[in-house]
Amino acid sequence: MCGILALILSDPSSTSAAVDLHEALYLLQHRGQDACGIATCASGGRIYQCKGNGMAANVFHNGSRVADLPGFMGLGHLRYPTAGSSASAEAQPFYVNSPYGICFAHNGNLINAEELKRFLDYEAHRHINTDSDSELMLNVFANELNETKKARVNEEDLFASFGLIGFRDPYGIRPLVLGSRRSDDGVGVDYMMASESVALDQLGFDGIVDIKPGQAVIIKKGSPPIFRQVHAQLAYAPDIFEYVYFARPDTVIDGISVHRSRQNMGFKLADTILQTLGAEAVRGIDVVIPIPETSNTSALSVAQHLDIPYCQGFVKNRYVFRTFIMPGQKARQKSVRRKLNAMKTEFEGRNVLLVDDSIVRGTTSREIVNMAREAGAKRVIFASCAPPITLVSHSALPRTRLTCELRHAHIYGIDLASPRELVAHKRDRHAIAHHIGADDVIYQSLADLKASCAELSPRDPARQEFEVGVFCGTYVTPVDAGYFARLERLRGEGAAQKTLERARDAVVAGCAGEREVRMAAKGVEVDWQGKVIPSDEGAREGAGATSNGVHEPGGEAEGREREREREREREEVVATPVRDRMDISLHNFGDYGEQRGYG
């Protein structure tokens, strides 16, 4: 998932659109910490842009770069890391100069990216410079506009000579809202679109409406919005993860309050806890403690419903940045302690019920339980507001590959965990409790999770749908089986690249272990479990280790054939790593040199 913003001021001579867009980035920073950017358009059509990897404060030099972005309208984007690359070149907004000059910001994943790539290459003859499916969408859009053969297109062509267009998928999976406010001179009206209503609220916009599934809104310079249904609504199924943990609690998505939905999750989870443990065991719980911060609301509801005291026993360090070198699993576990600190006074000698929004990776949950134990907790019960995420078998893989187990992937833009990291894989709740060191583990049911949100819907709650494929494998959109294998391949490639960079950083910093040194010297690959290992280690393991994370047992002949296939795949990849390829259109070359130590 990502965060997107669009703003058009009523006065075309204004140069301050970037000021509001920059402030809105901080309001939506939770939606993406991997990269961000702003592109603005000034009178005369000149486009200015600043983007790059990192948090908003870093990319915009604590706001000093905003002065370099004049214009009366613009786009903002925050990127959340998904499967695949996280190169600087993939920071958004994207730009193409033909036709007309178009900037583009996107929130979501395309499940037909390979098909679109072939179309753009062989039929549209448009060059794609990154591995981002958002760039594909921009070029498909630009190609369709180019087919009009008009010097200037209008709203009938879904655009304007100067203006904004926002559109939403026909299933309504990703959120998009529109608001308006009186302009500073009191004469005109400014319009803004955003992923979450909180950005509009904080900047003084009201009259907030949701863009409907399959709907587009076109805002021409100096004109009110024009709404068009550009695709039939196929469903109204927002991603339930928005309500579980992704969105801010003070946001309203599709008429459903995120805060109220989390309250409902807590009440229903409390009922499950009571049914699972029994009244006597529940009376033995001394305190309910949330894992900050997303679960705070739900944990309070659990405490109220079970009539148990509530306290925030973990204190979160808000000033931990993502640049800390974490070359291995032990270091990543230590990172949990850098972010959270358990207050001994709230744990010592008590039976505690920990409430989290979800339990995905076992390493994080285990470290949290360890912290509670070390702080003196007698018993630790761990409850999750979301159901477990497990694996599913897929056999529609390329010719030389056998059936493999993949998690129910989140195919619309959240990179949850690799299969080997899923704590619920082949474990029931008792085995999970043993694995993370808790006395018991309780999960919310999928039916209760959906009901928690549906009951608040302004539409018919009985018919309200949600995207919940990550929990059950049933997605609201048709999905080709080959897409899952592609997603795991991208995940493996992205994980390998990031692990190699961390290993090299660790060597430079002088804190690398023997394994990190081997990775830095020999390179890395992904074994059949999806684990990133040194390349020389994979060579010793032979046919069992692969470059795409799929186990390939077999004889020597099959091993040689697989190696030849992998070599052909390597030859298809461009020589320059994607992290070193740059968006040549409007990227900040000076900033890039400074980041890399060249300036």
Side-chain angles (χ1 to χ4, degrees), residues 155-206:
E155 63 269 17
E156 297 304 319
D157 304 300
L158 296 184
F159 208 68
S161 55
F162 285 97
L164 299 175
I165 176 170
F167 55 89
R168 194 173 180 192
D169 69 273
Y171 297 90
I173 298 170
R174 289 283 158 264
L176 186 64
V177 293
L178 169 70
S180 61
R181 72 180 180 192
R182 185 62 59 183
S183 61
D184 289 341
D185 59 14
V187 176
V189 179
D190 304 332
Y191 296 97
M192 189 173 194
M193 286 180 273
S195 296
E196 294 187 30
S197 61
V198 63
L200 307 185
D201 290 334
Q202 291 293 300
L203 292 172
F205 288 83
D206 53 24

Short mmCIF file of all heavy atoms in Angstrom, two decimals, residues 155-206:
data_model
loop_
_atom_site.label_atom_id
_atom_site.label_comp_id
_atom_site.label_asym_id
_atom_site.label_seq_id
_atom_site.Cartn_x
_atom_site.Cartn_y
_atom_site.Cartn_z
N GLU A 155 -12.66 16.48 -21.17
CA GLU A 155 -13.18 15.50 -20.22
C GLU A 155 -13.80 14.30 -20.91
O GLU A 155 -13.91 13.22 -20.32
CB GLU A 155 -14.20 16.15 -19.27
CG GLU A 155 -15.45 16.69 -19.94
CD GLU A 155 -15.30 18.15 -20.32
OE1 GLU A 155 -14.14 18.65 -20.36
OE2 GLU A 155 -16.32 18.80 -20.58
N GLU A 156 -14.22 14.45 -22.15
CA GLU A 156 -14.73 13.30 -22.89
C GLU A 156 -13.62 12.29 -23.15
O GLU A 156 -13.86 11.12 -23.37
CB GLU A 156 -15.37 13.75 -24.20
CG GLU A 156 -16.59 14.66 -24.02
CD GLU A 156 -17.66 14.02 -23.15
OE1 GLU A 156 -17.89 12.80 -23.30
OE2 GLU A 156 -18.24 14.73 -22.32
N ASP A 157 -12.40 12.77 -23.17
CA ASP A 157 -11.23 11.89 -23.31
C ASP A 157 -10.60 11.58 -21.96
O ASP A 157 -9.50 11.05 -21.89
CB ASP A 157 -10.18 12.56 -24.20
CG ASP A 157 -10.75 12.96 -25.55
OD1 ASP A 157 -11.20 12.06 -26.26
OD2 ASP A 157 -10.71 14.16 -25.87
N LEU A 158 -11.29 11.97 -20.87
CA LEU A 158 -10.83 11.74 -19.50
C LEU A 158 -9.58 12.54 -19.16
O LEU A 158 -8.67 12.06 -18.50
CB LEU A 158 -10.57 10.25 -19.24
CG LEU A 158 -11.80 9.36 -19.32
CD1 LEU A 158 -11.44 7.95 -18.95
CD2 LEU A 158 -12.90 9.87 -18.41
N PHE A 159 -9.52 13.77 -19.65
CA PHE A 159 -8.42 14.62 -19.22
C PHE A 159 -8.77 16.07 -19.51
O PHE A 159 -9.87 16.38 -19.93
CB PHE A 159 -7.12 14.21 -19.92
CG PHE A 159 -5.89 14.54 -19.12
CD1 PHE A 159 -5.63 13.87 -17.95
CD2 PHE A 159 -5.03 15.53 -19.53
CE1 PHE A 159 -4.52 14.15 -17.20
CE2 PHE A 159 -3.90 15.82 -18.78
CZ PHE A 159 -3.64 15.14 -17.62
N ALA A 160 -7.81 16.96 -19.30
CA ALA A 160 -8.01 18.36 -19.57
C ALA A 160 -6.67 18.97 -19.93
O ALA A 160 -5.62 18.38 -19.70
CB ALA A 160 -8.60 19.08 -18.35
N SER A 161 -6.69 20.18 -20.51
CA SER A 161 -5.43 20.81 -20.91
C SER A 161 -4.55 21.05 -19.71
O SER A 161 -3.34 20.83 -19.76
CB SER A 161 -5.72 22.11 -21.65
OG SER A 161 -6.52 22.96 -20.85
N PHE A 162 -5.12 21.52 -18.61
CA PHE A 162 -4.43 21.62 -17.33
C PHE A 162 -5.39 21.11 -16.27
O PHE A 162 -6.50 21.63 -16.14
CB PHE A 162 -4.04 23.07 -17.00
CG PHE A 162 -2.87 23.59 -17.78
CD1 PHE A 162 -3.08 24.35 -18.92
CD2 PHE A 162 -1.58 23.30 -17.39
CE1 PHE A 162 -2.02 24.84 -19.64
CE2 PHE A 162 -0.51 23.78 -18.11
CZ PHE A 162 -0.73 24.55 -19.25
N GLY A 163 -5.02 20.14 -15.49
CA GLY A 163 -5.93 19.66 -14.47
C GLY A 163 -5.49 18.36 -13.84
O GLY A 163 -4.38 17.88 -14.07
N LEU A 164 -6.39 17.81 -13.02
CA LEU A 164 -6.14 16.56 -12.31
C LEU A 164 -7.17 15.52 -12.70
O LEU A 164 -8.31 15.86 -13.04
CB LEU A 164 -6.25 16.78 -10.79
CG LEU A 164 -5.29 17.75 -10.12
CD1 LEU A 164 -5.65 17.89 -8.64
CD2 LEU A 164 -3.84 17.30 -10.28
N ILE A 165 -6.77 14.28 -12.64
CA ILE A 165 -7.72 13.18 -12.77
C ILE A 165 -7.39 12.15 -11.70
O ILE A 165 -6.22 11.85 -11.46
CB ILE A 165 -7.68 12.53 -14.17
CG1 ILE A 165 -8.62 11.32 -14.22
CG2 ILE A 165 -6.27 12.11 -14.55
CD1 ILE A 165 -8.83 10.76 -15.61
N GLY A 166 -8.42 11.69 -11.01
CA GLY A 166 -8.25 10.62 -10.04
C GLY A 166 -9.20 9.50 -10.38
O GLY A 166 -10.32 9.75 -10.83
N PHE A 167 -8.78 8.26 -10.22
CA PHE A 167 -9.68 7.14 -10.51
C PHE A 167 -9.41 6.00 -9.55
O PHE A 167 -8.33 5.88 -8.96
CB PHE A 167 -9.55 6.68 -11.96
CG PHE A 167 -8.16 6.32 -12.38
CD1 PHE A 167 -7.67 5.03 -12.23
CD2 PHE A 167 -7.33 7.27 -12.95
CE1 PHE A 167 -6.39 4.70 -12.62
CE2 PHE A 167 -6.03 6.96 -13.34
CZ PHE A 167 -5.56 5.66 -13.18
N ARG A 168 -10.42 5.16 -9.40
CA ARG A 168 -10.37 4.06 -8.44
C ARG A 168 -10.72 2.76 -9.14
O ARG A 168 -11.55 2.74 -10.06
CB ARG A 168 -11.36 4.34 -7.30
CG ARG A 168 -11.17 3.46 -6.08
CD ARG A 168 -12.06 3.92 -4.96
NE ARG A 168 -11.90 3.08 -3.77
CZ ARG A 168 -12.69 3.10 -2.72
NH1 ARG A 168 -13.71 3.95 -2.68
NH2 ARG A 168 -12.47 2.30 -1.69
N ASP A 169 -10.11 1.68 -8.68
CA ASP A 169 -10.35 0.39 -9.31
C ASP A 169 -11.82 -0.01 -9.16
O ASP A 169 -12.50 0.41 -8.23
CB ASP A 169 -9.44 -0.68 -8.70
CG ASP A 169 -9.80 -1.00 -7.26
OD1 ASP A 169 -9.31 -0.31 -6.34
OD2 ASP A 169 -10.61 -1.92 -7.05
N PRO A 170 -12.33 -0.85 -10.06
CA PRO A 170 -13.76 -1.18 -10.05
C PRO A 170 -14.21 -2.04 -8.88
O PRO A 170 -15.41 -2.29 -8.72
CB PRO A 170 -13.96 -1.92 -11.38
CG PRO A 170 -12.61 -2.42 -11.75
CD PRO A 170 -11.64 -1.40 -11.24
N TYR A 171 -13.27 -2.51 -8.05
CA TYR A 171 -13.63 -3.28 -6.86
C TYR A 171 -13.55 -2.42 -5.58
O TYR A 171 -13.94 -2.88 -4.52
CB TYR A 171 -12.70 -4.48 -6.70
CG TYR A 171 -12.81 -5.47 -7.84
CD1 TYR A 171 -12.01 -5.35 -8.97
CD2 TYR A 171 -13.71 -6.53 -7.78
CE1 TYR A 171 -12.10 -6.26 -10.02
CE2 TYR A 171 -13.82 -7.44 -8.83
CZ TYR A 171 -13.00 -7.29 -9.95
OH TYR A 171 -13.11 -8.19 -10.98
N GLY A 172 -13.00 -1.22 -5.69
CA GLY A 172 -12.89 -0.34 -4.52
C GLY A 172 -11.91 -0.84 -3.48
O GLY A 172 -12.11 -0.59 -2.29
N ILE A 173 -10.87 -1.52 -3.90
CA ILE A 173 -9.92 -2.11 -2.95
C ILE A 173 -9.11 -1.04 -2.24
O ILE A 173 -8.95 -1.08 -1.01
CB ILE A 173 -8.99 -3.11 -3.68
CG1 ILE A 173 -9.81 -4.24 -4.28
CG2 ILE A 173 -7.93 -3.66 -2.72
CD1 ILE A 173 -9.02 -5.14 -5.21
N ARG A 174 -8.62 -0.08 -3.00
CA ARG A 174 -7.81 1.00 -2.41
C ARG A 174 -8.65 2.26 -2.21
O ARG A 174 -9.48 2.59 -3.07
CB ARG A 174 -6.61 1.30 -3.30
CG ARG A 174 -5.56 0.23 -3.29
CD ARG A 174 -4.74 0.33 -2.00
NE ARG A 174 -4.11 -0.96 -1.74
CZ ARG A 174 -4.62 -1.86 -0.93
NH1 ARG A 174 -5.75 -1.63 -0.30
NH2 ARG A 174 -4.00 -3.00 -0.71
N PRO A 175 -8.44 2.98 -1.11
CA PRO A 175 -9.28 4.14 -0.82
C PRO A 175 -8.84 5.40 -1.58
O PRO A 175 -7.66 5.56 -1.91
CB PRO A 175 -9.08 4.33 0.68
CG PRO A 175 -7.68 3.83 0.94
CD PRO A 175 -7.49 2.68 -0.01
N LEU A 176 -9.79 6.26 -1.86
CA LEU A 176 -9.50 7.57 -2.45
C LEU A 176 -10.67 8.50 -2.12
O LEU A 176 -11.82 8.16 -2.37
CB LEU A 176 -9.32 7.47 -3.97
CG LEU A 176 -8.89 8.76 -4.67
CD1 LEU A 176 -7.50 9.20 -4.20
CD2 LEU A 176 -8.90 8.57 -6.19
N VAL A 177 -10.35 9.68 -1.56
CA VAL A 177 -11.38 10.64 -1.18
C VAL A 177 -11.07 12.00 -1.81
O VAL A 177 -9.93 12.31 -2.15
CB VAL A 177 -11.48 10.80 0.36
CG1 VAL A 177 -12.00 9.53 0.99
CG2 VAL A 177 -10.13 11.17 0.97
N LEU A 178 -12.12 12.79 -1.94
CA LEU A 178 -12.02 14.14 -2.51
C LEU A 178 -12.68 15.13 -1.57
O LEU A 178 -13.75 14.86 -1.03
CB LEU A 178 -12.72 14.18 -3.88
CG LEU A 178 -12.95 15.56 -4.50
CD1 LEU A 178 -11.62 16.17 -4.95
CD2 LEU A 178 -13.91 15.47 -5.69
N GLY A 179 -12.02 16.28 -1.37
CA GLY A 179 -12.58 17.35 -0.53
C GLY A 179 -12.36 18.71 -1.16
O GLY A 179 -11.57 18.87 -2.10
N SER A 180 -13.04 19.71 -0.62
CA SER A 180 -12.92 21.07 -1.15
C SER A 180 -12.83 22.06 0.01
O SER A 180 -13.21 21.76 1.14
CB SER A 180 -14.13 21.41 -2.03
OG SER A 180 -15.34 21.34 -1.26
N ARG A 181 -12.31 23.25 -0.30
CA ARG A 181 -12.24 24.34 0.68
C ARG A 181 -12.24 25.67 -0.07
O ARG A 181 -11.86 25.73 -1.25
CB ARG A 181 -10.98 24.23 1.54
CG ARG A 181 -9.71 24.57 0.79
CD ARG A 181 -8.45 24.46 1.63
NE ARG A 181 -7.28 24.80 0.82
CZ ARG A 181 -6.04 24.58 1.18
NH1 ARG A 181 -5.76 23.99 2.33
NH2 ARG A 181 -5.04 24.93 0.37
N ARG A 182 -12.65 26.70 0.60
CA ARG A 182 -12.62 28.05 0.03
C ARG A 182 -11.17 28.48 -0.11
O ARG A 182 -10.35 28.25 0.78
CB ARG A 182 -13.39 29.01 0.92
CG ARG A 182 -13.54 30.41 0.36
CD ARG A 182 -14.29 30.47 -0.93
NE ARG A 182 -15.64 29.93 -0.83
CZ ARG A 182 -16.47 29.83 -1.87
NH1 ARG A 182 -16.05 30.19 -3.08
NH2 ARG A 182 -17.68 29.35 -1.71
N SER A 183 -10.82 29.08 -1.23
CA SER A 183 -9.44 29.52 -1.48
C SER A 183 -9.06 30.66 -0.55
O SER A 183 -9.92 31.29 0.09
CB SER A 183 -9.27 29.96 -2.93
OG SER A 183 -10.14 31.04 -3.22
N ASP A 184 -7.78 30.93 -0.45
CA ASP A 184 -7.29 31.96 0.46
C ASP A 184 -7.89 33.33 0.16
O ASP A 184 -8.13 34.13 1.07
CB ASP A 184 -5.76 32.05 0.38
CG ASP A 184 -5.08 30.85 1.01
OD1 ASP A 184 -5.75 30.15 1.81
OD2 ASP A 184 -3.90 30.60 0.71
N ASP A 185 -8.15 33.64 -1.13
CA ASP A 185 -8.72 34.95 -1.47
C ASP A 185 -10.23 34.97 -1.31
O ASP A 185 -10.87 36.02 -1.51
CB ASP A 185 -8.33 35.35 -2.89
CG ASP A 185 -8.80 34.35 -3.94
OD1 ASP A 185 -9.63 33.49 -3.63
OD2 ASP A 185 -8.30 34.43 -5.09
N GLY A 186 -10.83 33.81 -0.96
CA GLY A 186 -12.26 33.74 -0.73
C GLY A 186 -13.10 33.75 -1.98
O GLY A 186 -14.34 33.75 -1.91
N VAL A 187 -12.47 33.72 -3.14
CA VAL A 187 -13.21 33.81 -4.40
C VAL A 187 -13.47 32.43 -5.00
O VAL A 187 -14.59 32.12 -5.40
CB VAL A 187 -12.45 34.69 -5.42
CG1 VAL A 187 -13.18 34.70 -6.76
CG2 VAL A 187 -12.28 36.10 -4.88
N GLY A 188 -12.43 31.61 -5.05
CA GLY A 188 -12.55 30.32 -5.70
C GLY A 188 -12.60 29.15 -4.72
O GLY A 188 -12.73 29.33 -3.50
N VAL A 189 -12.45 27.95 -5.26
CA VAL A 189 -12.48 26.72 -4.46
C VAL A 189 -11.27 25.85 -4.82
O VAL A 189 -10.98 25.64 -6.00
CB VAL A 189 -13.78 25.90 -4.72
CG1 VAL A 189 -13.77 24.61 -3.90
CG2 VAL A 189 -15.00 26.74 -4.39
N ASP A 190 -10.56 25.40 -3.78
CA ASP A 190 -9.45 24.46 -3.96
C ASP A 190 -9.98 23.04 -3.79
O ASP A 190 -10.91 22.80 -3.01
CB ASP A 190 -8.35 24.70 -2.91
CG ASP A 190 -7.81 26.12 -2.92
OD1 ASP A 190 -7.85 26.76 -3.99
OD2 ASP A 190 -7.37 26.58 -1.84
N TYR A 191 -9.37 22.09 -4.50
CA TYR A 191 -9.77 20.69 -4.39
C TYR A 191 -8.56 19.82 -4.11
O TYR A 191 -7.47 20.06 -4.61
CB TYR A 191 -10.44 20.22 -5.69
CG TYR A 191 -11.73 20.93 -6.00
CD1 TYR A 191 -11.75 22.02 -6.88
CD2 TYR A 191 -12.93 20.53 -5.41
CE1 TYR A 191 -12.93 22.69 -7.16
CE2 TYR A 191 -14.12 21.19 -5.70
CZ TYR A 191 -14.11 22.27 -6.56
OH TYR A 191 -15.28 22.92 -6.83
N MET A 192 -8.79 18.80 -3.29
CA MET A 192 -7.70 17.89 -2.94
C MET A 192 -8.21 16.46 -2.87
O MET A 192 -9.32 16.20 -2.38
CB MET A 192 -7.08 18.26 -1.59
CG MET A 192 -5.81 17.50 -1.25
SD MET A 192 -5.01 18.15 0.25
CE MET A 192 -3.40 17.37 0.12
N MET A 193 -7.40 15.51 -3.38
CA MET A 193 -7.67 14.09 -3.26
C MET A 193 -6.58 13.45 -2.41
O MET A 193 -5.43 13.90 -2.41
CB MET A 193 -7.70 13.42 -4.65
CG MET A 193 -8.94 13.74 -5.44
SD MET A 193 -8.95 12.93 -7.07
CE MET A 193 -8.04 14.14 -8.04
N ALA A 194 -6.94 12.41 -1.67
CA ALA A 194 -5.97 11.75 -0.79
C ALA A 194 -6.42 10.32 -0.52
O ALA A 194 -7.60 9.97 -0.69
CB ALA A 194 -5.82 12.51 0.52
N SER A 195 -5.47 9.51 -0.06
CA SER A 195 -5.79 8.13 0.31
C SER A 195 -6.63 8.07 1.58
O SER A 195 -7.41 7.14 1.75
CB SER A 195 -4.50 7.33 0.52
OG SER A 195 -3.77 7.21 -0.67
N GLU A 196 -6.45 9.05 2.47
CA GLU A 196 -7.19 9.04 3.73
C GLU A 196 -7.77 10.42 4.02
O GLU A 196 -7.15 11.45 3.74
CB GLU A 196 -6.28 8.61 4.88
CG GLU A 196 -5.81 7.17 4.80
CD GLU A 196 -5.04 6.74 6.03
OE1 GLU A 196 -5.34 7.27 7.13
OE2 GLU A 196 -4.16 5.88 5.92
N SER A 197 -8.94 10.41 4.63
CA SER A 197 -9.65 11.66 4.91
C SER A 197 -8.91 12.54 5.90
O SER A 197 -9.10 13.76 5.91
CB SER A 197 -11.05 11.34 5.45
OG SER A 197 -10.96 10.58 6.66
N VAL A 198 -8.04 11.97 6.75
CA VAL A 198 -7.36 12.77 7.76
C VAL A 198 -6.51 13.86 7.12
O VAL A 198 -6.37 14.96 7.68
CB VAL A 198 -6.50 11.86 8.68
CG1 VAL A 198 -5.40 11.16 7.89
CG2 VAL A 198 -5.89 12.66 9.82
N ALA A 199 -5.93 13.59 5.95
CA ALA A 199 -5.12 14.60 5.28
C ALA A 199 -5.97 15.80 4.89
O ALA A 199 -5.53 16.96 4.98
CB ALA A 199 -4.43 14.00 4.06
N LEU A 200 -7.19 15.55 4.43
CA LEU A 200 -8.08 16.64 4.05
C LEU A 200 -8.59 17.38 5.28
O LEU A 200 -8.67 18.62 5.29
CB LEU A 200 -9.25 16.09 3.24
CG LEU A 200 -8.91 15.23 2.01
CD1 LEU A 200 -10.18 14.88 1.24
CD2 LEU A 200 -7.93 15.95 1.11
N ASP A 201 -8.93 16.64 6.32
CA ASP A 201 -9.41 17.26 7.56
C ASP A 201 -8.39 18.26 8.10
O ASP A 201 -8.73 19.39 8.45
CB ASP A 201 -9.68 16.19 8.63
CG ASP A 201 -10.89 15.34 8.31
OD1 ASP A 201 -11.78 15.82 7.60
OD2 ASP A 201 -10.92 14.18 8.78
N GLN A 202 -7.16 17.83 8.20
CA GLN A 202 -6.12 18.65 8.81
C GLN A 202 -5.75 19.88 7.98
O GLN A 202 -5.23 20.85 8.52
CB GLN A 202 -4.87 17.80 9.03
CG GLN A 202 -5.03 16.74 10.11
CD GLN A 202 -5.18 17.37 11.49
OE1 GLN A 202 -4.29 18.08 11.97
NE2 GLN A 202 -6.29 17.10 12.14
N LEU A 203 -6.03 19.84 6.69
CA LEU A 203 -5.69 20.98 5.82
C LEU A 203 -6.91 21.85 5.51
O LEU A 203 -6.86 22.71 4.64
CB LEU A 203 -5.07 20.47 4.52
CG LEU A 203 -3.68 19.84 4.68
CD1 LEU A 203 -3.22 19.21 3.39
CD2 LEU A 203 -2.67 20.87 5.16
N GLY A 204 -8.00 21.62 6.24
CA GLY A 204 -9.15 22.50 6.14
C GLY A 204 -10.12 22.18 5.03
O GLY A 204 -10.98 23.01 4.69
N PHE A 205 -10.05 20.99 4.45
CA PHE A 205 -10.99 20.61 3.41
C PHE A 205 -12.22 19.94 4.04
O PHE A 205 -12.10 19.21 5.03
CB PHE A 205 -10.33 19.64 2.42
CG PHE A 205 -9.31 20.28 1.54
CD1 PHE A 205 -8.01 20.48 1.98
CD2 PHE A 205 -9.64 20.70 0.26
CE1 PHE A 205 -7.05 21.07 1.18
CE2 PHE A 205 -8.69 21.30 -0.56
CZ PHE A 205 -7.39 21.48 -0.10
N ASP A 206 -13.37 20.19 3.47
CA ASP A 206 -14.59 19.55 3.95
C ASP A 206 -15.39 19.05 2.74
O ASP A 206 -14.89 19.03 1.62
CB ASP A 206 -15.41 20.48 4.83
CG ASP A 206 -15.70 21.82 4.18
OD1 ASP A 206 -15.67 21.89 2.93
OD2 ASP A 206 -15.95 22.80 4.90
#
